[in-house]
Amino acid sequence: MMADAALTGSGDELMNLTYEIRSGTLAGFNTLVPQLGGVPSRLLAEVGLPVDCTRRPDILIPITTLIDLLNLCVRDLHCSDFGLRLAQRQGLRMLGVLGKLLLKERNLDAALSASHRYMVLHNQADHWRLTERDGSLFAYRINHCHSLENVEQYSELALGAACQLFRELAGGDIRPRQVHFCHAPVSPPQRYREYFDAEVFFGQECDCLIFDSQLLLRPLNAPNASLVKYFEEFTQLLIQGKRGDIASQVRTLILQTLGAKQHNLAQVAQLMNTPVRTLQRHLSTAGTSFKLLLQEARMETARWHLRSSNIEIGLLSASLGYTDISAFSKAFRVVHGYSPLQWRKQQH
């Protein structure tokens, strides 16, 4: 069963930080905008984003910039439900390389656990808390930065994409029992009912999707050819700018798959379509190893979250793939000379 993961701390000390999110959250942007009569490159440039950021899913962008972009699209494209429309094109695709690995999980429960860990690591602005109670699965969106304004489109993108993820993983017939939004509707109520096929309530205490918990036992869908092709192209796109630098290629794939249960050489070799021993030999020739690259990726990600959010240490440890907090603390102390908690306090 999925663990209930929560944040601790008030967050007041983090008010001046810039919260960032992976550009993978814009999956589908380049195909949706032209259908609405817009030019993706112009809209991206207007908010200060590189025009190729939708093809480089590992770029970090400020959450405020993403919110500005969504609201710009609403205004310029005369599309009040832009967030929901973009969400409909995401699902597994928003998880990048990890999405390919999720297809091998045994059921929806295991896949959601991995995707939950991924989202914790790749989005500083919020994360999901998944908990089961009285036969229902509650998926709460926990907001890290409460001072943001005009977040309605981002909230609808987040809940819409999460619902789409459920459906792509385990069946298009999946529907929530209820959908809760904090904000008031920005589109006609019928639009929300059409998208979620469920009762939708506004002005609620938190954003939340509520499902029948029996869904967790569902086996996963067999991936279609289009999805398999997408993940193959996505993987090649990630590493094509690093040709000739095997260490950078492996490190990139490690960063993109943190959140999976196991981080091992065989997993990365499979993504690169390279025999394990061949990859191991190439890394040795480059003067490094998978173990060293994994440690570097974990430490970089840990520093990012310890500095920029009040994420609970246990949740961060599990998301990075450590067996327990003590193993994470020991590894962090060896590299930085401080425990994760001490290092965080020093940064703040």
Side-chain angles (χ1 to χ4, degrees):
M1 189 56 56
M2 290 176 293
D4 183 13
L7 289 176
T8 59
S10 67
D12 292 341
E13 60 193 349
L14 306 171
M15 288 177 62
N16 296 322
L17 291 171
T18 298
Y19 291 86
E20 295 175 314
I21 187 170
R22 300 280 181 188
S23 55
T25 195
L26 290 173
F29 185 84
N30 278 1
T31 55
L32 172 60
V33 169
Q35 290 183 2
L36 298 173
V39 180
S41 58
R42 184 188 67 78
L43 293 167
L44 291 167
E46 191 164 336
V47 297
L49 288 176
V51 296
D52 64 342
C53 72
T54 56
R55 298 189 298 275
R56 297 164 59 198
D58 55 339
I59 292 178
L60 293 175
I61 60 177
I63 187 64
T64 50
T65 302
L66 173 61
I67 291 170
D68 288 344
L69 176 63
L70 295 175
N71 290 326
L72 175 65
C73 291
V74 170
R75 186 193 72 199
D76 283 18
L77 305 177
H78 308 289
C79 181
S80 66
D81 63 339
F82 186 84
L84 289 179
R85 291 187 186 227
L86 186 58
Q88 199 161 16
R89 296 165 180 267
Q90 297 195 352
L92 268 171
R93 288 168 173 78
M94 70 180 176
L95 300 181
V97 176
L98 183 69
K100 181 178 180 180
L101 300 178
L102 289 189
L103 298 175
K104 298 183 178 180
E105 295 288 355
R106 66 185 183 280
N107 57 25
L108 184 59
D109 188 6
L112 287 177
S113 293
S115 62
H116 172 237
R117 292 189 296 268
Y118 174 90
M119 291 178 189
V120 165
L121 294 178
H122 291 265
N123 184 355
Q124 292 179 337
D126 54 44
H127 85 281
W128 291 84
R129 186 176 69 208
L130 306 169
T131 187
E132 188 182 2
R133 185 173 68 249
D134 299 327
S136 293
L137 173 67
F138 295 82
Y140 298 99
R141 190 178 73 86
I142 308 300
N143 185 19
H144 297 184
C145 36
H146 302 284
S147 61
L148 296 179
E149 298 179 350
N150 303 314
V151 299
E152 293 85 356
Q153 293 296 325
Y154 174 68
S155 297
E156 294 182 7
L157 169 62
L159 263 67
C163 190
Q164 189 70 8
L165 177 64
F166 271 74
R167 291 168 176 165
E168 278 202 10
L169 282 170
D173 62 317
I174 290 179
R175 55 189 296 270
R177 286 177 171 173
Q178 293 182 5
V179 178
H180 293 186
F181 283 110
C182 296
H183 64 264
V186 295
S187 293
Q190 179 60 26
R191 175 65 181 115
Y192 298 96
R193 290 193 292 270
E194 288 174 353
Y195 185 91
F196 293 103
D197 192 20
E199 289 186 279
V200 182
F201 299 89
F202 298 91
Q204 301 300 300
E205 187 175 341
C206 61
D207 290 346
C208 180
L209 296 170
I210 305 173
F211 296 92
D212 184 338
S213 62
Q214 288 298 310
L215 289 176
L216 294 173
L217 302 178
R218 276 202 185 193
L220 300 189
N221 295 331
N224 59 48
S226 173
L227 197 58
V228 171
K229 181 181 179 182
Y230 171 83
F231 287 131
E232 291 296 336
E233 292 177 347
F234 185 98
T235 303
Q236 293 306 311
L237 187 63
L238 271 178
I239 63 178
Q240 70 179 8
K242 301 175 175 64
R243 298 294 182 193
D245 187 347
I246 192 67
S248 292
Q249 291 181 6
V250 171
R251 190 168 179 277
T252 295
L253 292 177
I254 289 174
L255 284 169
Q256 285 292 314
T257 54
L258 285 174
K261 269 187 181 177
Q262 300 294 329
H263 309 112
N264 54 52
L265 183 63
Q267 177 177 279
V268 172
Q270 177 190 355
L271 291 171
M272 298 179 71
N273 297 315
T274 303
V276 172
R277 290 189 177 182
T278 301
L279 180 55
Q280 201 167 28
R281 186 171 64 252
H282 288 332
L283 288 173
S284 178
T285 301
T288 187
S289 67
F290 179 82
K291 182 178 180 180
L292 180 60
L293 293 172
L294 175 59
Q295 180 192 49
E296 290 175 352
R298 281 172 163 171
M299 291 300 107
E300 176 184 321
T301 306
R303 288 192 299 270
W304 173 30
H305 284 276
L306 291 170
R307 181 174 54 246
S308 305
S309 81
N310 55 354
I311 186 173
E312 195 267 327
I313 302 296
L315 175 56
L316 178 59
S317 170
S319 297
L320 290 170
Y322 289 96
T323 54
D324 53 43
I325 296 178
S326 61
F328 171 46
S329 295
K330 181 179 179 180
F332 193 90
R333 188 184 292 274
V334 167
V335 175
H336 300 91
Y338 299 93
S339 71
L341 185 58
Q342 291 170 332
W343 193 87
R344 166 182 273 171
K345 289 180 177 178
Q346 191 179 61
Q347 296 300 305
H348 291 166

